[in-house]
Amino acid sequence: MTSTTTRSRPPRRVAVIGAALVIYLGTAALFVAVASSMLGVSRRGGGALFGERIAIVELEGLIVDVDDQVRELRAYRDNPGIRAVVLRINSPGGAVAPTQELYGAIRRLREAGKPVVASLGAVAASGGYYIAVAADQIYANPGTLTGSIGVVMQMANLNALMKKVGVEYVVVKAGEFKDVGNFARPMTIEERRILQALLDDVHGQFIAAVADGRKLDRAVVRRFADGRVFSGTQAKALHMIDELGGLEEAVEGAATLAGLPKPPRVIGPRRRFSIVDLLRNQLGLTGLATPTLPLLKTPLYLMD
């Protein structure tokens, strides 16, 4: 019995090792397939994982947190296989500092020798347009809403309402202007002057960025930098954009700037997994917006 058991062990061991190897190879193949799908690696007319490519980076919605986009741009800047980047923008604007942070990341990418083309979607206004002017070229559809070169700070004055309901709001402060914008009292003339000077300064930064990015005189930019929104056709007439066209045309333009054959290999935008979006899709609630907290700490906006 002992000798028979001993002789049967090697075949079993080989079978176990073989099964493990099959499972390992299957898992590896599945991982490669999923990774390729998530990266969105594609070539119009054929797939490819290697070679010189163009990457697409998406900017969607309100500009508040741009850490993901900045990381993507840095990774593509350091990746020798990426020859150019197309930034797809669908945004009405957002907070000033994140907008300027992403603007700087695009400029650094260009300084590394990699062209950047901005593709404006349905809306690329205010902060969305601020980011676009950092690119080498800007494409927009004829009906794209863009421009809105301005800055806004909005605050409520609930003084009359609080008196009516008998609520007293008490503030203890050290520093005369520490509670500037207090919703429980009217704004003083000096407070309004201070805030207006702040907005004028940021507005001047916006104008300077547009003038520098579009190679226009600042006096020319000031003529349309009054907060107005323009269509893509109007923007082209004002030299705010370079060409009329969608994402496909922007990719072709990036290929030309990078000296790549057409159609170029393309890495699609990275899709960020969200359990909220997953549940919303499963429950058929795609039309409902995700609730967000008010941005009380960032009241200065570049947006419509």
Side-chain angles (χ1 to χ4, degrees), residues 10 15 26 33 41 48 52 67 69 72 78 80 83 92 116 122 124 138 151 154 202 205 230 255 267 295:
V41 179
E52 295 178 326
D67 289 349
Q69 287 84 3
E72 278 187 72
D78 298 334
R83 291 288 303 278
V116 179
I138 303 176
V151 191
Q154 299 174 337
V202 176
Q205 296 174 32
F230 302 97
I267 294 182
L295 301 172

Side-chain angles (χ1 to χ4, degrees), residues 245-270:
L247 179 59
E248 185 172 354
E249 288 76 16
V251 171
E252 297 284 337
T256 299
L257 292 177
L260 294 177
K262 299 177 184 178
R265 293 187 178 94
V266 176
I267 294 182
R270 295 181 180 177

Side-chain angles (χ1 to χ4, degrees), residues 11-22:
R12 292 181 181 177
R13 187 174 301 170
V14 171
V16 170
I17 293 175
L21 184 59
V22 170

Side-chain angles (χ1 to χ4, degrees), residues 179-218:
D179 69 331
V180 63
N182 190 334
F183 63 87
R185 60 173 176 79
M187 185 178 293
T188 67
I189 295 177
E190 183 63 16
E191 287 174 335
R192 182 174 290 274
R193 184 192 66 79
I194 290 172
L195 293 179
Q196 187 63 58
L198 171 63
L199 267 65
D200 290 343
D201 178 67
V202 176
H203 190 212
Q205 296 174 32
F206 199 163
I207 292 173
V210 174
D212 179 57
R214 302 304 304 157
K215 303 298 186 290
L216 298 172
D217 188 86
R218 291 194 186 190

Side-chain angles (χ1 to χ4, degrees), residues 45-107:
L49 286 172
F50 304 102
E52 295 178 326
R53 292 154 289 168
I54 292 174
I56 299 176
V57 176
E58 282 187 342
L59 177 64
E60 293 277 350
L62 189 65
I63 303 170
V64 179
D65 182 359
V66 296
D67 289 349
D68 288 338
Q69 287 84 3
V70 170
R71 277 193 294 267
E72 278 187 72
L73 293 176
R74 183 171 60 245
Y76 292 143
R77 184 185 67 199
D78 298 334
N79 186 342
I82 302 301
R83 291 288 303 278
V85 170
V86 173
L87 184 64
R88 179 67 169 177
I89 303 174
N90 270 300
S91 171
V96 174
T99 298
Q100 294 177 329
E101 186 174 357
L102 188 51
Y103 173 94
I106 296 170
R107 295 297 294 265

